[in-house]
Amino acid sequence: MTEVVLHVYDVTNSGSGRANAMIQRLNKIMRDGMGIGGIFHGAIQVCDEEWSFGYCEFGTGVFCCAPTMNPMYTHRESIVLGHMLLSRRRVGQILSELSYEWNGSSYDPLSRNCNHFCDALCERLGVQKLPLWVNRFANAGEAAVEAAGNTIDKLRKAKAEVITAGRIAKRFLFSSCTTSTSAVTPDPWLQNLVTSRRNTSRRIGFSRNPSQRLSRNQSVSRRESETAGKIIIKQQRDVRRLYQYGCSKLSPSWFQPPG
């Protein structure tokens, strides 16, 4: 049986001594004081070699070094994950497969980093995965990005639904107005009103040329004046009834779709 060990490093490759010191202090507080994790690099030791994953522009991102001797980071602690029953030859085959699958250009600090590679290697070796605190910051960041993406998608869908609903409502209203105008049979009162209007000007005695009308009728009898007044009052009453009729046809319930 071969022991499988996790080596945890503080990420101190920023190029600034002050920034590296701040990261180490943060990891000490978050890991030692609060026990919730920090900014760590992980690597797996198996068969006397330490294996991990990092970014590179071309080729595989899988690399190895002597245990606890990675020159880019500061070693913090080591944790035994278990014991495997695989032969050295089988371990070599697994590492070759992972080297092909984990290209350096696919590295992502939140969703595909060194700790994700260590989990994949541990799963192939048949031992337990990394403790959650090792990669907690990356997991939290990935969850936040995913939540933000889901929120944006929901907003876009809601906007599209509102626009579609507006178009449907507009089309329904205009089509309903056209259909109702052509399909609804006018009330008998409305038909009589339209028919009676054909001879209204003739009954009142209007003429296109007022001077000719005055020359023909220099005096208007009292009876004709009363008749004209009654006609005008009836016209006003008919106009009000026509307005009320139109308003009743345009009531809110009329816009509701059938069923």
Side-chain angles (χ1 to χ4, degrees):
M1 298 177 65
T2 304
E3 191 175 61
V4 179
V5 182
L6 166 66
H7 296 300
V8 182
Y9 293 81
D10 291 324
V11 179
T12 54
N13 62 339
S14 65
S16 171
R18 183 177 180 181
N20 293 338
M22 290 181 62
I23 291 175
Q24 286 184 297
R25 286 198 296 270
L26 175 65
N27 287 345
K28 184 176 181 179
I29 295 172
M30 302 295 286
R31 166 61 179 149
D32 299 337
M34 304 177 65
I36 61 175
I39 304 174
F40 301 119
H41 168 79
I44 298 297
Q45 177 184 339
V46 57
C47 299
D48 300 326
E49 291 181 325
E50 180 183 297
W51 294 87
S52 191
F53 171 73
Y55 172 80
C56 62
E57 188 173 358
F58 302 102
T60 181
V62 178
F63 64 93
C64 69
C65 64
T68 71
M69 299 299 294
N70 191 319
M72 295 184 293
Y73 308 106
T74 303
H75 183 261
R76 178 179 182 82
E77 60 183 296
S78 299
I79 302 172
V80 177
L81 298 178
H83 296 78
M84 67 172 188
L85 301 176
L86 303 178
S87 64
R88 182 181 291 268
R89 180 178 180 181
R90 177 55 185 155
V91 172
Q93 293 176 350
I94 292 174
L95 290 170
S96 297
E97 295 171 358
L98 292 175
S99 298
Y100 179 78
E101 297 172 4
W102 290 72
N103 293 325
S105 59
S106 66
Y107 178 89
D108 185 276
L110 297 181
S111 61
R112 193 177 175 84
N113 60 25
C114 56
N115 297 317
H116 294 104
F117 168 80
C118 291
D119 279 337
L121 177 56
C122 289
E123 185 177 3
R124 299 282 185 94
L125 296 177
V127 297
Q128 67 176 356
K129 295 183 178 181
L130 278 60
L132 295 178
W133 59 264
V134 176
N135 204 31
R136 179 162 288 147
F137 273 24
N139 292 334
E142 183 182 9
V145 171
E146 183 178 359
N150 292 337
T151 301
I152 293 174
D153 291 339
K154 290 180 180 179
L155 289 175
R156 290 175 177 173
K157 291 180 180 178
K159 180 180 179 181
E161 290 175 358
V162 169
I163 294 175
T164 302
R167 291 175 178 173
I168 293 174
K170 180 179 179 181
R171 186 165 55 249
F172 172 76
L173 291 178
F174 280 98
S175 62
S176 298
C177 291
T178 305
T179 304
S180 62
T181 303
S182 59
V184 174
T185 303
D187 291 350
W189 166 82
L190 185 59
Q191 291 180 340
N192 295 333
L193 178 64
V194 173
T195 304
S196 63
R197 285 296 158 268
R198 294 175 181 175
N199 299 321
T200 299
S201 61
R202 186 179 305 171
R203 290 163 58 188
I204 297 176
F206 286 161
S207 173
R208 294 184 179 180
N209 193 334
S211 61
Q212 294 178 1
R213 182 176 62 84
L214 291 176
S215 62
R216 292 196 303 265
N217 303 301
Q218 296 295 331
S219 62
V220 180
S221 66
R222 183 177 179 180
R223 183 178 179 181
E224 291 177 345
S225 299
E226 292 177 354
T227 302
K230 292 179 180 180
I231 293 174
I232 293 174
I233 293 174
K234 188 175 184 302
Q235 284 181 333
Q236 293 176 350
R237 184 169 60 250
D238 290 341
V239 169
R240 286 196 298 269
R241 292 182 63 186
L242 181 61
Y243 173 77
Q244 294 174 357
Y245 175 82
C247 290
S248 66
K249 293 302 181 181
L250 296 178
S251 61
S253 61
W254 181 76
F255 288 99
Q256 296 180 0

